[in-house]
Amino acid sequence: MQLFEKLIDHREAGRLVSENIKLLPVENVPLEAAQGLALAQDLKARFDSPPFDNSAVDGYAVRSVDAIEGRTFEVVDEAPAGRPAQKSVGEGEAIKIFTGGVIPKGSDAVVMVENTSGWGEEFGLKKAAEAGQNVRRSGEDVREGDVILSAGTEIGAPEIALAATQGYGEIPVYRRPKVVALSTGTELVPPGERDLSPGEIYDSNSFAIVAQARDAGAEARRISAASDESEALRDAIQEALEDADIVVTSGGVSVGEKDLVKGTMTDLGVEQVFWGVKFKPGKPLYFGVRDDAAVFGLPGNPVSAMVCFDLFVRPALMRMMGREDRKRPRIQVYFDQDTQNRFGRLNAMRVSLKKTEKGWRAESVGAQGSGLVSSLTKADALALIGPESEVKAGDTVEAIVLREEIILGERTPESERQMVESGD
Ligand code: AMP
Ligand code: MG
């Protein structure tokens, strides 16, 4: 057992984490597996897209010079999507065409079937058409050689769609980080396994950590909770270190006699970067590295574990993936009452948010105990209150938004009206 040598500032801790975390190697991954990852190189268009002129509607391809109201056309062929017509369009002729069908030779416009007397061997035109009408031009979406997605772009559904239109089955990205979550504590029982005996509780941290890691875009799994016996702990951490980029333990990292995580890390060759941060909740946070893997020892109290994950592990994952975190915006908030932090550590206070004329009003979600798991379900943000400080009513402090939909959902009546009126 060892007491904290020295607690470091939370900014210093953040800096040490980012200094010790490297970008993961670049890998070509199948499109379906690229979601949430960052593109490692610019992606260029291999050809004009769409690759050929095609019809935007179902109807008939005609010569625009013939497309006079009342005229009758003879249908000579058809051009469904994927099967270009054999014939070309001559004077007074038409080729039946469907959306995506190749515009046949000789024609320069498509008339919608709705503007004709209908499908048949011949038809009458009810409405004149101009050259280019209902024709989607080759290259109107992207041009060969264009950078369609630039390096660093986070891959989402639209980026996947665009890469697919250019025939990319795989794209180069920084590979997905692997996280292993491991809870420690003899008192822990996996939920769903059995009823609790006296003194036991259900393990919630490893489940929370896996969910948080996945939410950040990582691949994550948990390994069964380890007891506070040193041998079991060592085996579990050793197993976790074998294939993880980041091992996240919870519990057993403070100054109690049963807090063996730190010593076990050292035995396993993990080099300590820091232990102990001037931060609440989460003073005993441990961070170390071994080869290319990083290890976070989060405190056992569930709120501390989750808040430390958000503030320290999540940024590490983003850095590994070469991504920016757009889901944790920082905003200024104010309180209605004077709010003190009597601790010598930064306090990340769980608050709910409400938009007022004065800006974002923060309100504590209630008791701030670090074992109160229910409090996190009510928190919209973490308000950062400096050590030994007194924030006066109306003064602003920085807050990290945990539910970005809260601020995205904040619309003025004007913008809501525009959204309704601008339907496609
Ligand atoms: P520790 O950091 O191991 O001293 O644990 C601090 C508190 O967090 C104790 O009340 C533990 O029982 C609790 N705790 C530790 N690990 C977990 C876990 N995985 N799930 C829920 N509570 C935990
Ligand atoms: Mg414990």
Side-chain angles (χ1 to χ4, degrees):
M1 201 270 291
Q2 202 189 346
L3 298 179
F4 296 107
E5 299 108 49
K6 124 174 165 342
L7 299 178
I8 62 170
D9 185 83
H10 74 282
R11 279 166 298 223
E12 172 74 354
R15 194 180 59 73
L16 286 168
V17 169
S18 84
E19 265 175 17
N20 281 279
I21 295 284
K22 292 188 251 349
L23 263 179
L24 288 173
V26 176
E27 239 177 34
N28 281 314
V29 307
L31 273 189
E32 308 93 294
Q35 190 168 7
L37 299 173
L39 196 62
Q41 292 151 22
D42 287 352
L43 214 61
K44 288 191 173 173
R46 293 161 159 170
F47 49 80
D48 287 355
S49 181
F52 47 86
D53 292 355
N54 67 93
S55 178
V57 295
D58 294 332
Y60 296 99
V62 296
R63 302 180 343 151
S64 58
V65 287
D66 298 347
I68 300 156
E69 194 181 318
R71 179 142 189 190
T72 302
F73 291 82
E74 184 197 350
V75 179
V76 296
D77 199 354
E78 63 172 36
R83 255 189 303 129
Q86 301 292 310
K87 300 210 174 111
S88 55
V89 176
E91 190 187 344
E93 292 177 344
I95 287 179
K96 204 186 275 181
I97 193 164
F98 302 96
T99 306
V102 179
I103 301 297
K105 286 201 190 71
S107 65
D108 64 350
V110 176
V111 294
M112 293 169 80
V113 69
E114 291 88 333
N115 293 336
T116 70
S117 55
W119 300 118
E121 303 284 285
E122 51 174 53
F123 66 90
L125 185 61
K126 294 188 193 158
K127 197 172 165 201
E130 286 167 11
Q133 193 156 317
N134 298 319
V135 175
R136 301 195 288 214
R137 291 276 169 221
S138 161
E140 73 179 16
D141 192 1
V142 301
R143 288 275 176 202
E144 181 180 340
D146 284 354
V147 172
I148 52 169
L149 295 169
S150 47
T153 302
E154 184 183 330
I155 302 300
E159 291 74 23
I160 288 175
L162 185 54
T165 64
Q166 286 294 319
Y168 288 100
E170 295 186 336
I171 52 175
V173 290
Y174 300 104
R175 79 163 167 74
R176 197 177 293 283
K178 286 185 237 162
V179 171
V180 175
L182 164 69
S183 294
T184 73
T186 305
E187 74 278 29
L188 302 176
V189 177
E193 193 172 278
R194 58 175 173 80
D195 289 343
L196 298 174
S197 298
E200 291 181 334
I201 58 169
Y202 289 116
D203 169 19
S204 60
N205 289 348
S206 63
F207 293 90
I209 290 164
V210 164
Q212 286 182 298
R214 288 184 183 153
D215 187 53
E219 185 185 307
R221 68 184 177 97
R222 47 184 292 281
I223 53 181
S224 324
S227 71
D228 290 315
E229 306 303 320
S230 64
E231 212 158 294
L233 195 57
R234 180 184 331 221
D235 291 350
I237 297 176
Q238 173 64 33
E239 187 200 327
L241 275 167
E242 247 138 55
D243 76 331
D245 299 303
I246 297 190
V247 175
V248 185
T249 67
S250 80
V253 76
S254 193
V255 295
E257 273 179 17
K258 300 282 181 199
D259 291 338
L260 302 175
V261 167
K262 208 169 82 69
T264 307
M265 297 293 185
T266 310
D267 292 350
L268 289 169
V270 177
E271 191 190 320
Q272 178 181 318
V273 179
F274 63 77
W275 177 51
V277 181
K278 285 186 211 155
F279 178 69
K280 185 179 162 57
K283 178 166 92 174
L285 177 66
Y286 167 96
F287 175 62
V289 289
R290 190 181 89 169
D291 305 322
D292 288 334
V295 180
F296 287 89
L298 308 185
N301 278 310
V303 173
S304 312
M306 290 186 75
V307 170
C308 283
F309 187 103
D310 240 292
L311 264 78
F312 299 98
V313 187
R314 187 176 167 101
L317 288 170
M318 294 293 157
R319 196 171 166 81
M320 282 182 156
M321 289 188 284
R323 264 180 55 186
E324 274 173 36
D325 197 352
R326 282 183 265 136
K327 295 202 163 164
R328 290 293 181 273
R330 292 185 178 231
I331 58 172
Q332 294 292 317
V333 301
Y334 73 92
F335 290 88
D336 263 346
Q337 311 89 358
D338 295 353
T339 305
Q340 297 89 14
N341 174 7
R342 299 196 199 293
F343 305 93
R345 306 179 262 153
L346 178 82
N347 183 10
M349 184 192 273
R350 277 145 279 155
V351 296
S352 60
L353 294 178
K354 192 162 174 45
K355 184 78 191 237
T356 71
E357 306 96 74
K358 284 190 267 171
W360 285 103
R361 189 182 71 209
E363 193 179 343
S364 169
V365 295
Q368 293 278 325
S370 55
L372 305 175
V373 186
S374 63
S375 67
L376 268 178
T377 65
K378 298 173 197 140
D380 298 326
L382 298 168
L384 304 177
I385 306 185
E388 309 292 354
S389 66
E390 166 124 16
V391 181
K392 293 271 171 231
D395 285 356
T396 58
V397 297
E398 188 173 48
I400 301 170
V401 179
L402 298 173
R403 301 181 194 274
E404 93 277 20
E405 66 272 20
I406 298 277
I407 52 175
L408 294 176
E410 185 54 42
R411 296 194 188 101
T412 61
E414 181 54 27
S415 70
E416 287 207 345
R417 204 157 36 243
Q418 280 169 4
M419 285 183 60
V420 173
E421 283 167 5
S422 70
D424 187 15

